[in-house]
Amino acid sequence: LPDGFVPMCCNAFVSKAITGRGTAGGAPHHLLALGDSTGRLLVYEQTASMLSPGETPTPLWISKPHKDYVTRVEYILDFDRIVTTSLDGTVCLTEFSGKRKDYFYGHSRALHSFCYCASFSYVASGGQEREIILWNPYTLKRITSLVGHQACIIGIVCNDEHGHIISVDDKKTIYVWDTKTYDLLCKVPDTTPRWPESTFSAFCFDHKSCALVVAHSRIEVL
């Protein structure tokens, strides 16, 4: 990686050119997006040479959409943008070329996560404000907010098949919301002591088994 680059998050994805849902101007198909500690976004082509010892791959392009840590990065196929959140409180939608950037400024504090709900075409994002804001990625306008967390939100995922938004805060409480009515369906606190820190460090939703996978000092399936 380039000098001074401290990776904070990454997302591997396939461009529209290989999915048959459009073209990407002859761009490589299999890509890797990385967000760093200074607010930069780097996009690489995934090649076998990346695994070679001592090899330093050259990014296709580098952009700086944020002023602070990039906390999450994900390519959203439906609107062909790389979406990033940051501790600077903004959500950036970067065009595939890296040249055009659109921002959602609906948050006032640091952001840690977001998800895209394809069934209703909105983004849900949240962080230190302890509320999840739902907004339209095409108009960049706020739709509503989901209020109930009593601690900083560290992760948000969408289960489109069952119509659920699942969010997790740093007090290890899991919330499940309805994607259509925005109602809180349930919340599940994890009271099991963890070591060395009693919090979740990462999580993801396994759509195949319909299970939430969380990590702290070890991985668990809930």
Side-chain angles (χ1 to χ4, degrees):
L1 297 175
D3 290 340
F5 178 78
V6 180
M8 306 303 297
C9 54
C10 66
N11 178 233
F13 62 95
V14 179
S15 74
K16 277 191 173 184
I18 202 170
T19 63
R21 295 179 57 180
T23 61
H29 296 160
H30 297 276
L31 303 167
L32 181 67
L34 298 174
D36 84 345
S37 60
T38 68
R40 290 183 295 179
L41 171 64
L42 295 84
V43 174
Y44 291 87
E45 180 182 6
Q46 294 187 59
T47 63
S49 63
M50 295 181 74
L51 303 177
S52 302
E55 184 73 21
T56 303
T58 301
L60 297 175
W61 52 263
I62 301 176
S63 178
K64 196 174 190 301
H66 299 287
K67 299 177 182 178
D68 207 332
Y69 280 35
V70 178
T71 53
R72 180 166 169 75
V73 57
E74 183 177 348
Y75 172 73
I76 307 298
L77 180 63
D78 282 12
F79 48 91
D80 196 25
R81 293 292 186 97
I82 300 172
V83 182
T84 51
T85 52
S86 170
L87 294 185
D88 66 12
T90 63
V91 187
C92 183
L93 291 74
T94 303
E95 196 176 54
F96 186 82
S97 65
K99 296 180 180 179
R100 177 177 174 179
K101 304 179 187 69
D102 295 309
Y103 286 88
F104 176 70
Y105 292 106
H107 294 274
S108 61
R109 301 183 68 182
L111 294 173
H112 292 283
S113 190
F114 73 89
C115 71
Y116 175 64
C117 297
S119 298
F120 296 96
S121 299
Y122 61 69
V123 176
S125 51
Q128 289 187 1
E129 293 170 312
R130 304 182 182 184
E131 70 172 342
I132 300 170
I133 296 179
L134 310 184
W135 50 278
N136 187 317
Y138 301 97
T139 65
L140 301 176
K141 292 184 178 180
R142 177 180 177 136
I143 299 171
T144 189
S145 59
L146 309 179
V147 180
H149 279 279
Q150 300 299 308
C152 176
I153 299 166
I154 60 173
I156 308 170
V157 295
C158 184
N159 177 7
D160 273 308
E161 183 178 353
H162 294 89
H164 296 155
I165 292 174
I166 305 168
S167 55
V168 177
D169 62 35
D170 63 7
K171 296 297 184 182
K172 301 184 300 176
T173 303
I174 300 167
Y175 289 67
V176 181
W177 314 82
D178 189 290
T179 56
K180 184 176 181 179
T181 66
Y182 314 132
D183 291 332
L184 175 61
L185 301 177
C186 68
K187 64 177 181 178
V188 183
D190 176 19
T191 57
T192 304
R194 310 291 180 183
W195 187 90
E197 295 184 5
S198 191
T199 187
F200 295 142
S201 58
F203 84 115
C204 69
F205 187 77
D206 181 0
H207 294 272
K208 186 175 181 180
S209 61
C210 196
L212 187 68
V213 182
V214 299
H216 42 99
S217 56
R218 63 180 183 178
I219 297 175
E220 293 185 14
V221 179
L222 303 180

